[in-house]
mmCIF file with all atom_site columns, all heavy atoms in Angstrom:
data_model
loop_
_atom_site.group_PDB
_atom_site.id
_atom_site.type_symbol
_atom_site.label_atom_id
_atom_site.label_alt_id
_atom_site.label_comp_id
_atom_site.label_asym_id
_atom_site.label_entity_id
_atom_site.label_seq_id
_atom_site.pdbx_PDB_ins_code
_atom_site.Cartn_x
_atom_site.Cartn_y
_atom_site.Cartn_z
_atom_site.occupancy
_atom_site.B_iso_or_equiv
_atom_site.pdbx_formal_charge
_atom_site.auth_seq_id
_atom_site.auth_comp_id
_atom_site.auth_asym_id
_atom_site.auth_atom_id
_atom_site.pdbx_PDB_model_num
ATOM 1  N N   . HIS C 1 233 ? 5.318   -18.694 20.529 1.00 0.00 ? 242 HIS C N   1
ATOM 2  C CA  . HIS C 1 233 ? 3.952   -18.956 20.899 1.00 0.00 ? 242 HIS C CA  1
ATOM 3  C C   . HIS C 1 233 ? 2.922   -18.211 19.995 1.00 0.00 ? 242 HIS C C   1
ATOM 4  O O   . HIS C 1 233 ? 1.753   -18.413 20.113 1.00 0.00 ? 242 HIS C O   1
ATOM 5  C CB  . HIS C 1 233 ? 3.709   -18.621 22.370 1.00 0.00 ? 242 HIS C CB  1
ATOM 6  C CG  . HIS C 1 233 ? 3.676   -17.192 22.693 1.00 0.00 ? 242 HIS C CG  1
ATOM 7  N ND1 . HIS C 1 233 ? 2.983   -16.659 23.737 1.00 0.00 ? 242 HIS C ND1 1
ATOM 8  C CD2 . HIS C 1 233 ? 4.262   -16.130 22.052 1.00 0.00 ? 242 HIS C CD2 1
ATOM 9  C CE1 . HIS C 1 233 ? 3.130   -15.325 23.747 1.00 0.00 ? 242 HIS C CE1 1
ATOM 10 N NE2 . HIS C 1 233 ? 3.921   -14.989 22.744 1.00 0.00 ? 242 HIS C NE2 1
ATOM 11 N N   . LYS C 1 338 ? 7.906   5.906   27.411 1.00 0.00 ? 347 LYS C N   1
ATOM 12 C CA  . LYS C 1 338 ? 7.526   6.054   28.836 1.00 0.00 ? 347 LYS C CA  1
ATOM 13 C C   . LYS C 1 338 ? 6.340   6.939   28.995 1.00 0.00 ? 347 LYS C C   1
ATOM 14 O O   . LYS C 1 338 ? 5.714   7.007   30.035 1.00 0.00 ? 347 LYS C O   1
ATOM 15 C CB  . LYS C 1 338 ? 8.691   6.699   29.583 1.00 0.00 ? 347 LYS C CB  1
ATOM 16 C CG  . LYS C 1 338 ? 9.942   5.831   29.661 1.00 0.00 ? 347 LYS C CG  1
ATOM 17 C CD  . LYS C 1 338 ? 11.000  6.620   30.414 1.00 0.00 ? 347 LYS C CD  1
ATOM 18 C CE  . LYS C 1 338 ? 12.361  6.030   30.214 1.00 0.00 ? 347 LYS C CE  1
ATOM 19 N NZ  . LYS C 1 338 ? 13.433  6.941   30.549 1.00 0.00 ? 347 LYS C NZ  1
ATOM 20 N N   . ARG S 2 11  ? 5.614   10.541  36.411 1.00 0.00 ? 12  ARG S N   1
ATOM 21 C CA  . ARG S 2 11  ? 6.603   9.516   36.088 1.00 0.00 ? 12  ARG S CA  1
ATOM 22 C C   . ARG S 2 11  ? 8.021   9.966   36.480 1.00 0.00 ? 12  ARG S C   1
ATOM 23 O O   . ARG S 2 11  ? 9.006   9.375   36.140 1.00 0.00 ? 12  ARG S O   1
ATOM 24 C CB  . ARG S 2 11  ? 6.605   9.191   34.609 1.00 0.00 ? 12  ARG S CB  1
ATOM 25 C CG  . ARG S 2 11  ? 5.429   8.354   34.161 1.00 0.00 ? 12  ARG S CG  1
ATOM 26 C CD  . ARG S 2 11  ? 5.398   8.294   32.654 1.00 0.00 ? 12  ARG S CD  1
ATOM 27 N NE  . ARG S 2 11  ? 4.442   7.255   32.206 1.00 0.00 ? 12  ARG S NE  1
ATOM 28 C CZ  . ARG S 2 11  ? 3.133   7.372   32.278 1.00 0.00 ? 12  ARG S CZ  1
ATOM 29 N NH1 . ARG S 2 11  ? 2.574   8.454   32.749 1.00 0.00 ? 12  ARG S NH1 1
ATOM 30 N NH2 . ARG S 2 11  ? 2.368   6.386   31.812 1.00 0.00 ? 12  ARG S NH2 1
ATOM 31 N N   . VAL S 2 45  ? -15.619 -4.460  21.951 1.00 0.00 ? 46  VAL S N   1
ATOM 32 C CA  . VAL S 2 45  ? -14.402 -4.734  21.124 1.00 0.00 ? 46  VAL S CA  1
ATOM 33 C C   . VAL S 2 45  ? -13.225 -5.050  22.037 1.00 0.00 ? 46  VAL S C   1
ATOM 34 O O   . VAL S 2 45  ? -12.840 -4.204  22.826 1.00 0.00 ? 46  VAL S O   1
ATOM 35 C CB  . VAL S 2 45  ? -14.076 -3.582  20.190 1.00 0.00 ? 46  VAL S CB  1
ATOM 36 C CG1 . VAL S 2 45  ? -12.753 -3.845  19.447 1.00 0.00 ? 46  VAL S CG1 1
ATOM 37 C CG2 . VAL S 2 45  ? -15.179 -3.337  19.201 1.00 0.00 ? 46  VAL S CG2 1
ATOM 38 N N   . ILE S 2 54  ? -2.813  -17.689 23.321 1.00 0.00 ? 55  ILE S N   1
ATOM 39 C CA  . ILE S 2 54  ? -2.379  -18.252 22.088 1.00 0.00 ? 55  ILE S CA  1
ATOM 40 C C   . ILE S 2 54  ? -2.985  -19.625 21.840 1.00 0.00 ? 55  ILE S C   1
ATOM 41 O O   . ILE S 2 54  ? -3.128  -20.069 20.747 1.00 0.00 ? 55  ILE S O   1
ATOM 42 C CB  . ILE S 2 54  ? -0.882  -18.289 22.008 1.00 0.00 ? 55  ILE S CB  1
ATOM 43 C CG1 . ILE S 2 54  ? -0.375  -18.155 20.612 1.00 0.00 ? 55  ILE S CG1 1
ATOM 44 C CG2 . ILE S 2 54  ? -0.241  -19.518 22.661 1.00 0.00 ? 55  ILE S CG2 1
ATOM 45 C CD1 . ILE S 2 54  ? -0.866  -16.926 19.919 1.00 0.00 ? 55  ILE S CD1 1
#
Side-chain angles (χ1 to χ4, degrees):
Chain C
H242 74 152
K347 294 180 198 160
Chain S
R12 287 171 167 74
V46 175
I55 211 59

